[in-house]
Amino acid sequence: VMPFGDFVLSDYPDTSLVAGGLLNQGGRLLLAGDSGIGKSYVMMQMLLQSALGVPWFGVWSVKAPLRSLYIQVEVAPAMLNLRAKRWADGGPMPPETMFSLALLRNYDIVENSGALKRYMETEGIQLVGYDPLYKMHNGDENSVMTLKPTQDALDYALDEKRAAIVSHHVNK
């Protein structure tokens, strides 16, 4: 506990990855909405732009290129490949070492958080996209008690060094 004025005068390191504090190291950004509105497209674009070090949608600047990992657990590989080809036709490709894609159907993060953390540490991943949340656990994603183990596993895998973008269907 400290007086507010003392806190304001304190200096903390800048951990922002995206300008304006939109996303910081250890932070989470939630993309939520109905099924089929384009959350996966938006997430893929944000991750690709992060890997390239270009502003998100031409607005929010990325401080430096971020090694990014996209974990897709819902879309079939053929459909995801089509989406990736559309991106490649219309935009620059990030260096191979800056962007990775994991197709993990029915991936349970609680069971695999240790392996995921080791991979991200080994590869130097700074930003990870989880798409979508409801496919990464076996419970009700609108229940705090059911979702807590998933959130704890996500926090463990990411720790304070990495940030995440998480996709959530509001009507599943």
Side-chain angles (χ1 to χ4, degrees), residues 8-119:
V8 170
L9 294 174
S10 300
D11 287 323
Y12 289 90
D14 180 7
T15 61
S16 61
L17 299 173
V18 178
L22 186 63
L23 187 60
N24 299 313
Q25 287 177 328
R28 313 293 183 269
L29 184 65
L30 180 67
L31 296 177
D34 292 332
S35 296
I37 65 166
K39 294 178 302 298
S40 296
Y41 281 108
V42 169
M43 181 181 291
M44 184 185 287
Q45 182 165 348
M46 292 166 80
L47 291 165
L48 284 162
Q49 289 177 326
S50 296
L52 288 163
V54 300
W56 287 358
F57 310 108
V59 177
W60 296 287
S61 62
V62 177
K63 285 195 162 186
L66 302 172
R67 291 188 67 141
S68 303
L69 171 65
Y70 182 32
I71 299 175
Q72 174 51 254
V73 296
E74 180 181 47
V75 176
M79 179 58 71
L80 192 59
N81 181 257
L82 179 63
R83 292 176 182 181
K85 286 179 180 181
R86 285 184 189 145
W87 170 270
D89 287 343
M93 294 297 291
E96 192 172 300
T97 59
M98 294 301 291
F99 185 75
S100 300
L101 175 68
L103 301 172
L104 304 171
R105 301 293 295 257
N106 299 316
Y107 180 80
D108 188 322
I109 190 161
V110 174
E111 294 176 12
N112 297 294
S113 62
L116 179 60
K117 181 176 183 138
R118 284 187 299 278
Y119 173 80

Side-chain angles (χ1 to χ4, degrees), residues 2-10:
M2 71 171 67
F4 182 71
D6 290 349
F7 181 74
V8 170
L9 294 174
S10 300

Side-chain angles (χ1 to χ4, degrees), residues 28 109-111 113-114 117 130 133 144-159:
R28 313 293 183 269
I109 190 161
V110 174
E111 294 176 12
S113 62
K117 181 176 183 138
Y130 291 96
L133 180 62
V144 172
M145 294 305 293
T146 304
L147 196 55
K148 183 158 180 14
T150 302
Q151 184 64 44
D152 290 345
L154 178 64
D155 287 345
Y156 171 76
L158 292 172
D159 61 44

